[in-house]
Amino acid sequence: MSTAELLKGAAELFPDEVVTQAHVRHIELPGVVGAFALITLDNGLDHTKPTTFGPQSLANVDAAIDQVEAEAAEGKIAGVGVTGKPFIFAVGADLKGVELLKRHEDALAIGKGGHDVFKRLAALAVPTFAYYNGAAMGGGVEIGLHCSYRTVSAALPAFSLPEVFLGLVPGWGGCTLLPNLIGADRAVTVIIENSLNQNKQLKGAQVYELGIADALFEGADFLEQSLLWTASVLSGALKVERPEIDRGAAWDQAVERGRFVADSKVHGAAPAAYRALDIIAAAKDGNLQAGYDAEDTALADLIMGGELRSGIYAFNLVQRRAKRPAGAPDKSLARPVTKVGVVGAGLMASQLALLFLRRLEVPVVLTDIDQERIDKGVGYVHAEIDKLLGKGRINQDKANRYKGLVTGVLDKADGFADADFVIEAVFEEMGVKQQVFAEIEAVAPAHAILATNTSSLSVSEMASKLKNPERVVGFHFFNPVAILPLLEIVRGEQTDDASLATAFGVAKKLKKSAVLVKDAPAFVVNRILTRFMGEIQNVIDEGTPVAVAERAVEPLGLPMSPLVLLELVGPAIGLHVSETLNRAFPDRFTVSQNLAAVVKAGKRGFYVYDSGKPELDPEVVALLKQGDTVLTEGQTRARVLDAVAQEIGLMLDEGVVAEAQDIDLCLLTGAGWPFHLGGITPYLDREGVSERVNGKQFLEPGVASVPA
């Protein structure tokens, strides 16, 4: 089947493609005999709708290459360049089309179609050039790799091969061409390490330093400078030198390093990284066609697998659902926030003050029980502003303005009399929080939102003794505040729409992913994690060795093991949340006496790191009282997953969130749950756990899975 037929068939499967055009124009270059053909990739929309490659878009690129191929054969042109519209080069395959594929042969056609088109650039009778003028990802990077030469803009903000992050491999030449261009070790960094490191992006200068681009030019006149450079190359005035690739032991060591990175990130639980590494390993002999064939097969297999569908599902949750929270009131009801109060000046409160300051750019005032604590909190914010200044993230004027906007006072009446939004971050104890809210209500304006950063207590109970409980809302951040995007917004029994709308409006300005949550014990993330951790703890308490319990959940590919997570959260906080949930649901949530003993002994976790790697603390081992029931890793994993599936089913029945999708969004953005799982519910569906525990799947077929 010809490329044109292949793409035509694929286009019929994808009627809603945002089509990219490939415009050809001719330019005269100084000192070059013959015209220069420049292909511009453009979908006709502004930079907020990046250029992508669906089947019809690839067909358009193919047609442009037909034209320049004929011109090159006739001697009419001296070279061909490819660039993008303003701010965007191209960001790869259109994943909305991939979601619709139901057959392996259709998936194979996607890989083969891209290869067949892009390979033609390398086969032209004249040199080819890619000008990475703006964001370039996936297939956008790969079309450039098929060219003879590449330039990159110093202003380019994002360049990556993110496929492994989503559950794919760079399948249009990336796995094969990149190691042959810059060496296996650097290719492993870009394809495996950066991708698994939360899809880390490269800037223009880094693209040049890695050797992916042959020249780096400033953004202001990037295309003009690139074309002058091209003229020098074509006229022979400039010869591009590239270092020789080490195809010896260094190549094999790079692949092994990649396997170590993959193991540490996904623990063998997701196939994409390993498939990519196999192709990189095979690319050592420089046989490009064999590499392309392997990419086609891997791409088709992964497109028809659950991991990619879960990855796309997760991507859509974070990119789309997070921007339109389910159940949020009409935004027109939101009130303006021109001043923020923060009760508390500890680490969490200080982090919140910094976030509100940077995102809202309004006065922020901290209060606490003594001046020393207040000074320490304001000092923390000032120090963080100085760090931003030192890194060049803000200028001196902005630093001075930020410092001027943050203050601290002992008297809440002085600080909050004109505040529109006051958030408390004090000790997690109901009586303390009720007292704080009573004090705020007495001095804050009648319209002010009273927000609580509680992680597990009832927002309704907190508001129950106030004259105006309708303005109290849960506003639960996750630590570290600057990094984790999730914000659980909790509607109390009496919270009104205006207060809730204001909370969502503030969340948007804070650039957080807000999810509306019912006022239920521990809300979403802490409830699921506590059930998950509680079951691990139960298994250990009953007699299973700690190492077995920890290894049991490795196939989930979580960012850290359960007991390392406990260390991060703090055993005392973990114990407190488990006690809260035990009071609410004593039949399902236990309080581990071993964990209580660890907290009583003042231990910060189960491990010590004297040798640089985690080892069980002998003092903790001495505290543990275990039974004699020893489970295998498989039995432990089944028990933990069954518990989680049961809890999520109950939470959905209770209406804690609108849908299973919100559970997944919470775990992805608040707990670092892996994209390749799609959160948790697609994994539970795929492994048959949902059916076994609840008698049904959480998601409809085709949502995070291959359509029937």
Side-chain angles (χ1 to χ4, degrees):
M1 188 185 290
S2 71
T3 302
E5 289 171 322
L6 202 65
L7 293 172
K8 187 170 183 290
E12 286 167 4
L13 297 171
F14 185 17
D16 299 323
E17 177 185 351
V18 177
V19 177
T20 296
Q21 303 298 329
H23 305 288
V24 182
R25 62 187 166 120
H26 295 91
I27 299 166
E28 297 300 322
L29 295 180
V32 175
V33 178
F36 183 77
L38 182 64
I39 300 171
T40 303
L41 306 169
D42 191 345
N43 61 6
L45 302 166
D46 69 16
H47 66 279
T48 62
K49 297 284 190 298
T51 304
T52 53
F53 296 123
Q56 185 55 54
S57 304
L58 286 174
N60 290 343
V61 176
D62 199 43
I65 297 173
D66 282 343
Q67 179 185 333
V68 297
E69 184 180 60
E71 291 171 349
E74 292 168 22
K76 290 180 178 176
I77 57 172
V80 175
V82 181
T83 192
K85 67 183 184 181
F87 309 109
I88 305 288
F89 182 76
V91 298
D94 191 326
L95 292 176
K96 293 195 295 295
V98 172
E99 287 176 87
L100 305 173
L101 298 177
K102 299 179 183 180
R103 302 185 309 162
H104 193 274
E105 54 264 43
D106 294 332
L108 199 60
I110 291 286
K112 200 165 174 344
H115 272 130
D116 287 352
V117 173
F118 291 177
K119 275 192 314 189
R120 297 183 66 199
L121 284 167
L124 288 175
V126 293
T128 49
F129 299 77
Y131 308 130
Y132 291 124
N133 64 300
M137 297 171 204
V141 170
E142 289 170 303
I143 191 172
L145 295 178
H146 284 270
C147 294
S148 322
Y149 305 96
R150 285 153 296 281
T151 66
V152 66
S153 167
L156 181 147
F159 182 105
S160 65
L161 289 169
E163 287 83 354
V164 167
F165 176 68
L166 290 170
L168 281 174
V169 298
W172 286 342
C175 289
T176 303
L177 291 171
L178 193 62
N180 278 294
L181 176 67
I182 62 172
D185 195 61
R186 288 177 166 190
V188 162
T189 297
V190 176
I191 295 170
I192 307 297
E193 191 170 15
N194 288 358
S195 201
L196 291 178
N197 188 14
Q198 291 301 307
N199 191 19
K200 181 182 175 184
Q201 301 293 318
L202 298 168
K203 300 272 195 281
Q206 294 170 300
V207 174
Y208 173 65
E209 285 157 16
L210 283 167
I212 299 171
D214 301 302
L216 174 75
F217 298 113
E218 288 303 317
D221 57 352
F222 169 71
L223 188 56
E224 184 184 346
Q225 293 300 321
S226 293
L227 290 169
L228 289 172
W229 181 86
T230 298
S232 300
V233 173
L234 290 175
S235 66
L238 178 71
K239 187 166 171 51
V240 174
E241 303 282 353
R242 295 188 188 126
E244 197 175 331
I245 301 301
D246 186 336
R247 298 182 185 279
W251 194 291
D252 303 328
Q253 286 162 6
V255 172
E256 281 313 301
R257 181 175 75 83
R259 293 194 196 285
F260 176 79
V261 170
D263 285 344
S264 67
K265 292 287 187 180
V266 300
H267 308 283
Y274 303 97
R275 292 294 292 266
L277 286 163
D278 289 344
I279 300 167
I280 294 169
K284 183 179 176 181
D285 64 3
N287 183 336
L288 300 185
Q289 189 53 52
Y292 299 157
D293 292 343
E295 287 175 355
D296 286 342
T297 304
L299 204 59
D301 290 350
L302 292 166
I303 284 173
M304 298 313 292
E307 184 204 0
L308 170 69
R309 305 304 171 123
S310 294
I312 294 174
Y313 164 81
F315 184 78
N316 288 339
L317 289 181
V318 170
Q319 292 298 316
R320 295 181 199 157
R321 192 177 184 93
K323 291 176 174 61
R324 290 187 289 277
D330 191 308
K331 61 186 177 188
S332 66
L333 298 172
R335 293 190 286 262
V337 172
T338 60
K339 184 177 180 181
V340 172
V342 181
V343 184
L347 182 59
M348 190 67 177
S350 302
Q351 287 184 70
L352 293 179
L354 180 68
L355 180 70
F356 279 95
L357 183 67
R358 289 191 67 200
R359 297 286 184 238
L360 270 59
E361 297 192 327
V362 300
V364 175
V365 59
L366 293 138
T367 73
D368 212 314
I369 55 173
D370 61 53
Q371 192 63 44
E372 188 182 342
R373 291 178 198 226
I374 293 169
D375 292 344
K376 189 176 177 186
V378 173
Y380 169 89
V381 177
H382 282 201
E384 290 299 309
I385 292 167
D386 286 335
K387 284 183 195 171
L388 292 169
L389 179 64
K391 291 175 184 172
R393 304 270 293 280
I394 57 174
N395 61 26
Q396 188 66 59
D397 283 350
K398 188 163 268 193
N400 293 344
R401 192 153 58 84
Y402 282 170
K403 286 182 180 179
L405 285 172
V406 63
T407 55
V409 294
L410 263 174
D411 187 347
K412 293 184 181 68
D414 287 347
F416 300 158
D418 55 350
D420 305 301
F421 190 101
V422 182
I423 184 166
E424 68 73 26
V426 299
F427 185 66
E428 193 75 347
E429 208 280 311
M430 183 58 76
V432 174
K433 290 188 185 282
Q434 285 180 330
Q435 182 188 339
V436 163
F437 270 160
E439 290 170 4
I440 301 169
E441 188 179 49
V443 296
H447 70 270
I449 303 300
L450 309 185
T452 169
N453 185 43
T454 182
S455 59
S456 61
L457 300 177
S458 167
V459 174
S460 303
E461 189 181 341
M462 223 175 281
S464 61
K465 297 181 179 177
L466 299 178
K467 297 186 194 73
N468 301 108
E470 69 279 357
R471 57 181 173 149
V472 176
V473 64
F475 215 63
H476 180 218
F477 290 88
F478 290 78
N479 211 353
V481 169
I483 294 170
L484 290 175
L486 179 63
L487 186 51
E488 291 179 337
I489 295 186
V490 187
R491 181 170 208 153
E493 284 170 15
Q494 298 193 62
T495 307
D496 64 19
D497 281 354
S499 300
L500 203 59
T502 306
F504 274 100
V506 169
K508 188 171 184 180
K509 285 184 178 168
L510 294 176
K511 297 186 179 176
K512 293 296 180 185
S513 299
V515 175
L516 180 61
V517 180
K518 184 180 172 184
D519 188 17
F523 316 126
V524 177
V525 172
N526 284 344
R527 179 162 164 186
I528 292 169
L529 286 185
T530 304
R531 186 76 198 275
F532 174 81
M533 304 278 284
E535 212 52 53
I536 294 274
Q537 192 72 57
N538 288 343
V539 166
I540 292 169
D541 293 353
E542 290 164 18
T544 298
V546 169
V548 173
E550 289 267 77
R551 279 198 309 270
V553 292
E554 278 187 359
L556 273 73
L558 298 173
M560 62 191 76
S561 75
L563 293 183
V564 172
L565 174 63
L566 180 68
E567 199 170 290
L568 185 73
V569 170
I573 292 173
L575 180 65
H576 174 76
V577 177
S578 70
E579 288 169 343
T580 302
L581 282 160
N582 172 254
R583 286 194 293 275
F585 310 115
D587 55 323
R588 303 193 308 280
F589 287 86
T590 53
V591 178
S592 166
Q593 294 313 301
N594 280 327
L595 179 57
V598 168
V599 172
K600 189 176 178 185
K603 288 291 178 183
R604 59 186 288 271
F606 277 63
Y607 294 114
V608 287
Y609 297 85
D610 298 339
S611 64
K613 60 178 192 284
E615 292 173 4
L616 274 177
D617 184 341
E619 292 178 18
V620 170
V621 172
L623 292 171
L624 296 182
K625 293 193 169 86
Q626 291 183 279
D628 52 13
T629 304
V630 179
L631 301 184
T632 64
E633 287 177 25
Q635 289 169 325
T636 300
R637 184 163 56 253
R639 190 161 141 187
V640 170
L641 292 177
D642 283 5
V644 170
Q646 182 195 30
E647 202 59 39
I648 292 171
L650 291 166
M651 288 165 72
L652 291 171
D653 290 346
E654 292 168 26
V656 174
V657 288
E659 293 181 289
Q661 281 88 333
D662 294 311
I663 298 273
D664 292 317
L665 181 56
C666 285
L667 289 176
L668 288 162
T669 56
W673 218 270
F675 256 60
H676 66 262
L677 296 186
I680 182 64
T681 66
Y683 178 79
L684 295 172
D685 286 352
R686 206 160 60 235
E687 295 295 309
V689 181
S690 317
E691 198 85 46
R692 182 171 73 236
V693 174
N694 300 322
K696 61 180 180 181
Q697 294 203 340
F698 288 114
L699 301 169
E700 294 294 319
V703 178
S705 59
V706 179

